[in-house]
Amino acid sequence: SWSSADAQWSVETDRGRVTCSYLFGCCGYYDYDAGYRPEWTGEADYRGRIVHPQFWPAAMDVSGNTVAVIGSGATAVTLVPALAEQAAHVTMIQRSPSFIVSRPSRDGVARFLQRSLPARSADAIVRWKNVLLTSFFYAQARRSPEKFRQWIKDQLGKQLPPDYPIERDFSPAYKPWDQRLCLVPDADLFAAMRSGKVSIATGPIERFTRDGLRLETGEEVKADIVVTATGLVVKILGGIQLDVDGNPVAPADRLIWKGMMLSGVPNLFFAFGYTNASWTLRSDLTARLACRLLNQMKRRGIAIAVPREPGEGMERRQVIDFSSGYVKRAEGVLPMQGARHPWNVRQNYLRDLLAMHFSRIDEDLDLKKKLSEIRRPSVVAQAERE
């Protein structure tokens, strides 16, 4: 709860109350207490075991079992080859295909540079190499989606068995980066497919059966264990209930300022990373930008910073421009973004890095000096004496 009279936050926890001048939320944007778990017809008829990856049993043993993994996102493509090491067979069931690419788990360029250069120099070069390559591939995908799609198909053709139906299982209806690309290290998923331990079934699930699942295509998938890698639930700020002077704050009703504050909410920062690059790149920028703002506030004797939406009204857009199911389900949870800086969230590390150093820190910020804005005579008198 924010109190303008006291210019501070009050945080109620299960271990007592804490007060502070500033809050920084490092909560991610997933619900760690619950994953997305749809229900299917016939689950009660199924004689096997159903497991959600977010609540994986510690004593789970898949040795010798047939396993069906529902989903084709990051969780599924990570689990499938790992399960295939012990299971008799693993089938990845996907409602529709996803874009999947592979990269080595060890960076050969990094290893060469780390042997040849001082650690600090090598690490800086490797970091920028990765940043620039990621930005380049993302830009190419958005600029020439069909060429990028074909490039992915060509890479898959080198990894999959001859005459594999790539169009059926690895050709999504959406464009590259309309949803996240899935990355498999060392092509382990494709190696498992070549070995015969892993197969893919594509199509919506019609129902569970006694021995597995049946798809709307008519295909039957036998499984002793079904893993529902069906997605995550988005939760902003860890689900913390916010209020400003007794008025509840719903993040979905607010605009995001410079990717780290909410309109109308004083002295609250939060880390919200990139969706097309490493999350920590943006989190690092956010931390440094928050420090820059706090340092300027200290120099100017400012105690309160509140992002204020432009009075003329601004077009509102979804803060994550993805067509993924977990994003669509979160449209009433995540804050919105505007159409221009500093209210838009640019998925571009280089532009954000330049803006952090060279743009004004107080754009569309309402800055207040605590001593002149609140009524605390003892504090004012102390200031006057100083």
Side-chain angles (χ1 to χ4, degrees):
S1 299
W2 169 262
S3 168
S4 294
D6 298 319
Q8 69 178 14
W9 284 98
S10 173
V11 183
E12 300 291 342
T13 79
D14 58 359
R15 297 188 179 184
R17 179 171 171 266
V18 178
T19 59
C20 56
S21 300
Y22 307 94
L23 272 180
F24 201 124
C26 305
C27 311
Y29 74 141
Y30 289 132
D31 186 343
Y32 301 107
D33 295 323
Y36 178 63
R37 171 61 165 88
E39 295 185 358
W40 292 275
T41 303
E43 284 190 45
D45 301 331
Y46 177 55
R47 297 184 300 180
R49 186 175 186 180
I50 302 175
V51 177
H52 193 285
Q54 200 162 334
F55 307 101
W56 196 265
M60 182 85 161
D61 184 7
V62 301
S63 300
N65 289 289
T66 55
V67 181
V69 177
I70 303 174
S72 59
T75 303
V77 301
T78 303
L79 277 175
V80 166
L83 292 170
E85 293 177 4
Q86 296 182 336
H89 187 83
V90 181
T91 303
M92 186 171 82
I93 301 175
Q94 55 180 10
R95 183 178 56 224
S96 58
S98 300
F99 285 113
I100 302 178
V101 297
S102 65
R103 283 185 62 186
S105 59
R106 296 292 302 275
D107 188 332
V109 174
R111 281 188 289 180
F112 171 77
L113 291 173
Q114 287 161 354
R115 288 196 301 265
S116 308
L117 297 172
R120 187 169 183 176
S121 300
D123 291 347
I125 294 171
V126 171
R127 174 185 172 89
W128 277 106
K129 185 264 294 184
N130 290 334
V131 167
L132 294 173
L133 272 180
T134 301
S135 299
F136 171 77
F137 280 115
Y138 177 77
Q140 288 295 104
R142 303 309 281 174
R143 187 181 301 116
S144 305
E146 292 309 312
K147 287 184 179 180
F148 197 81
R149 179 193 294 271
Q150 187 57 51
W151 176 79
I152 294 176
K153 285 184 181 179
D154 292 342
Q155 300 305 307
L156 290 169
K158 300 173 185 177
Q159 300 287 350
L160 293 168
D163 303 321
Y164 190 90
I166 293 175
E167 197 68 31
R168 182 193 69 190
D169 293 335
F170 293 100
S171 186
Y174 57 86
K175 296 177 182 178
W177 280 114
D178 281 354
Q179 298 183 20
R180 289 181 189 269
L181 268 66
C182 289
L183 176 67
V184 294
D186 297 323
D188 57 359
L189 173 65
F190 307 127
M193 293 177 69
R194 290 195 304 270
S195 74
K197 294 289 294 289
V198 169
S199 58
I200 294 180
T202 301
I205 295 171
E206 179 185 303
R207 63 172 294 120
F208 273 69
T209 63
R210 284 171 58 84
D211 300 315
L213 305 102
R214 182 166 63 242
L215 307 188
E216 291 182 5
T217 61
E219 183 176 358
E220 299 269 356
V221 178
K222 304 266 188 204
D224 303 310
I225 300 169
V226 173
V227 180
T228 56
T230 44
L232 300 160
V233 174
V234 171
K235 180 185 282 188
I236 194 72
L237 287 169
I240 296 168
Q241 298 177 12
L242 296 175
D243 75 68
V244 173
D245 294 327
N247 300 308
V249 173
D253 297 336
R254 307 294 173 133
L255 282 180
I256 193 168
W257 180 87
K258 292 200 173 185
M260 69 173 191
M261 296 183 78
L262 297 175
S263 59
V265 182
N267 293 15
L268 172 70
F269 309 102
F270 59 97
F272 195 88
Y274 292 118
T275 55
N276 66 345
S278 169
W279 184 270
T280 52
L281 282 176
R282 175 73 217 194
S283 298
D284 178 61
L285 283 181
T286 296
R288 287 194 276 166
L289 188 61
C291 288
R292 182 184 165 199
L293 175 58
L294 292 175
N295 287 334
Q296 185 175 121
M297 291 171 67
K298 183 178 180 180
R299 286 193 300 270
R300 296 169 57 183
I302 301 295
I304 303 171
V306 188
R308 295 296 184 193
E309 292 185 38
E312 70 273 12
M314 182 185 294
E315 177 191 356
R316 290 178 170 235
R317 303 171 180 173
Q318 297 300 322
V319 71
I320 301 179
D321 187 21
F322 276 175
S323 60
S324 307
Y326 80 97
V327 175
K328 293 300 181 184
R329 292 192 298 270
E331 288 183 354
V333 176
L334 293 172
M336 304 292 284
Q337 65 171 316
R340 64 165 178 81
H341 187 73
W343 299 100
N344 60 337
V345 178
R346 299 176 297 202
Q347 299 294 328
N348 188 308
Y349 176 74
L350 294 176
R351 291 183 66 187
D352 285 340
L353 182 63
L354 290 171
M356 188 195 75
H357 287 292
F358 299 112
S359 68
R360 286 175 49 197
I361 192 63
D362 56 357
E363 298 167 278
D364 293 342
L365 271 187
D366 187 0
L367 300 174
K368 300 177 182 179
K369 292 187 177 182
K370 178 180 177 182
L371 299 183
S372 61
E373 293 293 326
I374 65 175
R375 298 180 178 86
R376 291 175 65 179
S378 61
V379 175
V380 174
Q382 175 67 28
E384 290 173 347
R385 286 195 297 273
E386 293 175 353

